Amino acid sequence: MRPGEERPVQGGACDGVSELEPLELLKLRAAERIDEAAERLGALSRAIWSEPELAYEEHHAHSLLTRFFQQEPPAASWAVQPHYQLPTAFRAEWAPREARAPGAEVRALQLGFLCEYDALPGLGHACGHNLIAEVGAAAALGLRAALESLPGPPPPVKIIVLGTPAEEDGGGKIDLIEAGAFKNLDVVFMAHPSQENAAYLQDVAEHDVTVKYYGKASHAAAYPWEGVNALDAAVLAYNNISVLRQQMKPTWRAHGIIKNGGVKPNIIPSYSELIYYFRAPSMKELQVLTKKAEDCFRAAALATGCTIEIKAGAHDYYNVLPNKTLWKTYMENGKKLGIQFISEDMMLTGPSGSTDFGNVTFVVPGIHPYFYIGSDALNHTEQYTEAAGSQEAQFYTLRAAKALAMTALDVIFKPGLLEKIREDFKLKLQEEKFLNTVE
């Protein structure tokens, strides 16, 4: 627990429940339902954590999550598509009976909750994706319980949980976007574990490349002049990027490895391979950085006489578009639960990474807050792997789920809120498109 942070009453309950406004009573019911399912949710998270799987190979986690919704009482209350567009993706949908009726006149509001569950090579769940899966499932359960508690017919709403594989490598959400999975969603929700509570962080655009150099093998002692050294090209390329850093903007990032540098010291390497990630605050800036980097790679090929192959990753990750209306609503609900958020200045200037959720925010309004899990360990470390599987993380994870469910209830019931969210979305999208056309 962070210094000075106190745990509120479980579920965010308060004195004078009978005096609460109807919307606050619904939020209370959502939180209570999450608490009721806490043991089952924790077991789900721990089972995913205990058997980490890499991108597109999350068969165990996928099976756990689909069974979780298939077995959620009452029987068959969630319509589950186990292999939705991708082998390890899924879609679970719930709607009140009235919204499912043939010929329903009013289009249902569709709210999406996203689950991630892939792990990192060698580290397991060092980014806490098991907790992301738990948050998505918990928030959906809480929202459903709140809607079912209404005395009269609930509004036309569909709750959709999407299992989105391969965030760490490949971009499963982008695959799902291209397959049309987000086409009819109105707002999407997910939350990511971190060291602080932040309603938004500037997750940046990312482009990855594999660079291959082809030279000519030769005996390194007897006749090295007959060879063309592909390792020299890789080393030059690595150093070229390092020299480029002096002319890089402070917000740009370049990091890479030499994956292949030869097989034996007395053989001139005929092949070498590098993998690089490039990041920038916007897609426009990312294109500029990528062009500079590719010039560095080609210069190394020219200097050494190697041929070069530059292959981009399957998908670029876009920067996450902020939705201020959504993040302020989330913060209002989170504060009721005792969440202490970092300042807006820190949100907009603090360190961040990249996520395929950024691509989602270019097609539908969404929120991707970060939540503290009881540890100051940094993501992508062995210490964070341990923290993500700890019992201590459970309180904070379920609290974030409650805040998401409560925010979804505001979207449904607060007049004008959805329209304002959509206006924010359109404005940021227009700003991004303008920036990407300015030379």
Side-chain angles (χ1 to χ4, degrees):
M1 185 174 296
R2 305 209 67 74
E5 181 172 294
E6 297 182 359
R7 293 192 183 190
V9 176
Q10 284 288 72
C14 59
D15 294 333
V17 169
S18 61
E19 298 175 3
L20 292 176
E21 295 293 329
L23 179 53
E24 295 304 310
L25 286 170
L26 288 177
K27 291 179 181 180
L28 182 61
R29 177 59 192 132
E32 289 172 343
R33 178 67 187 99
I34 291 171
D35 283 336
E36 291 165 3
E39 185 175 345
R40 188 164 172 247
L41 289 161
L44 171 69
S45 175
R46 183 74 183 187
I48 295 172
W49 180 89
S50 298
E51 195 169 321
E53 299 164 300
L54 301 183
Y56 298 111
E57 299 175 5
E58 316 94 327
H59 303 289
H60 174 67
H62 172 268
S63 177
L64 289 168
L65 283 157
T66 52
R67 285 204 309 270
F68 180 91
F69 285 99
Q70 288 167 341
Q71 296 172 3
E72 175 67 15
S77 57
W78 291 88
V80 180
Q81 298 179 57
H83 304 287
Y84 181 66
Q85 306 297 344
L86 296 170
T88 55
F90 71 89
R91 177 185 172 109
E93 180 178 317
W94 175 88
R97 191 174 303 277
E98 293 81 357
R100 289 179 256 165
E105 296 181 3
V106 180
R107 177 190 175 274
L109 178 67
Q110 300 195 30
L111 303 180
F113 295 88
L114 308 188
C115 297
E116 293 177 9
Y117 34 89
D118 62 324
L120 288 158
L123 288 173
H125 280 287
C127 209
H129 288 193
N130 59 302
L131 301 178
I132 297 176
E134 182 180 1
V135 165
L141 263 58
L143 178 58
R144 173 192 161 189
L147 294 176
E148 288 180 331
S149 72
L150 288 167
V157 175
K158 287 184 180 179
I159 304 172
I160 294 154
V161 182
L162 287 178
T164 62
E167 190 276 338
E168 293 290 356
D169 184 19
K173 293 183 191 63
I174 307 170
D175 295 326
L176 291 170
I177 289 170
E178 293 175 350
F182 291 88
K183 186 175 181 181
N184 294 317
L185 297 186
D186 293 286
V187 184
V188 292
F189 304 83
M190 67 169 285
H192 195 297
S194 183
Q195 299 77 47
E196 302 287 353
N197 294 301
Y200 170 77
L201 288 178
Q202 284 193 312
D203 287 296
V204 296
E206 186 268 339
H207 173 82
D208 63 84
V209 294
T210 299
V211 183
K212 299 178 180 181
Y213 291 107
Y214 300 93
K216 180 183 177 185
S218 182
H219 197 293
Y223 30 84
W225 53 86
E226 293 293 335
V228 178
N229 196 318
L231 177 59
D232 283 348
V235 171
L236 278 177
Y238 190 94
N239 288 329
N240 286 347
I241 297 295
S242 296
V243 171
L244 175 65
R245 293 181 195 280
Q246 186 180 22
Q247 275 67 54
M248 284 170 51
K249 292 184 179 182
T251 52
W252 292 1
R253 296 288 184 271
H255 32 271
I257 61 169
I258 298 177
K259 187 178 179 182
N260 190 313
V263 293
K264 197 175 180 183
N266 66 346
I267 303 173
I268 298 291
S270 63
Y271 175 77
S272 67
E273 181 178 335
L274 303 95
I275 299 176
Y276 261 88
Y277 289 1
F278 301 102
R279 305 179 199 256
S282 68
M283 290 301 296
K284 173 65 177 179
E285 288 190 48
L286 183 63
Q287 291 167 9
V288 174
L289 174 57
T290 299
K291 171 64 167 58
K292 290 178 180 291
E294 290 184 354
D295 288 344
C296 289
F297 295 141
R298 292 192 173 92
L302 180 63
T304 57
C306 292
T307 58
I308 183 174
E309 178 185 339
I310 301 176
K311 183 178 180 180
H315 300 298
D316 285 347
Y317 284 17
Y318 292 4
N319 48 298
V320 174
L321 296 182
N323 193 295
K324 205 163 189 177
T325 299
L326 261 177
W327 98 41
K328 285 191 170 183
T329 304
Y330 177 81
M331 288 178 70
E332 289 171 3
N333 287 302
K335 288 175 180 177
K336 294 175 185 176
L337 296 167
I339 299 177
Q340 295 181 0
F341 292 96
I342 62 174
S343 68
E344 186 169 326
D345 285 344
M346 291 178 67
M347 283 167 41
L348 297 174
T349 59
S352 61
S354 304
T355 170
D356 56 358
F357 187 85
N359 301 63
V360 175
T361 65
F362 277 69
V363 297
V364 59
I367 185 170
H368 183 274
Y370 287 82
F371 63 96
Y372 172 71
I373 65 168
S375 171
D376 292 327
L378 300 176
N379 296 64
H380 291 214
T381 64
E382 293 176 351
Q383 293 76 18
Y384 208 82
T385 302
E386 182 179 353
S390 71
Q391 184 58 37
E392 177 73 5
Q394 285 303 297
F395 168 80
Y396 302 101
T397 300
L398 296 184
R399 185 171 64 170
K402 293 169 189 175
L404 283 185
M406 293 161 69
T407 302
L409 285 166
D410 283 333
V411 172
I412 297 169
F413 291 105
K414 277 194 174 179
L417 183 62
L418 178 59
E419 187 55 40
K420 195 170 180 183
I421 290 168
R422 287 170 171 163
E423 288 173 2
D424 281 3
F425 168 68
K426 291 176 183 177
L427 178 62
K428 287 299 176 184
L429 201 58
Q430 289 170 356
E431 289 178 359
E432 188 75 18
K433 288 180 177 178
F434 173 75
L435 288 172
N436 286 345
T437 57
V438 173
E439 296 294 337

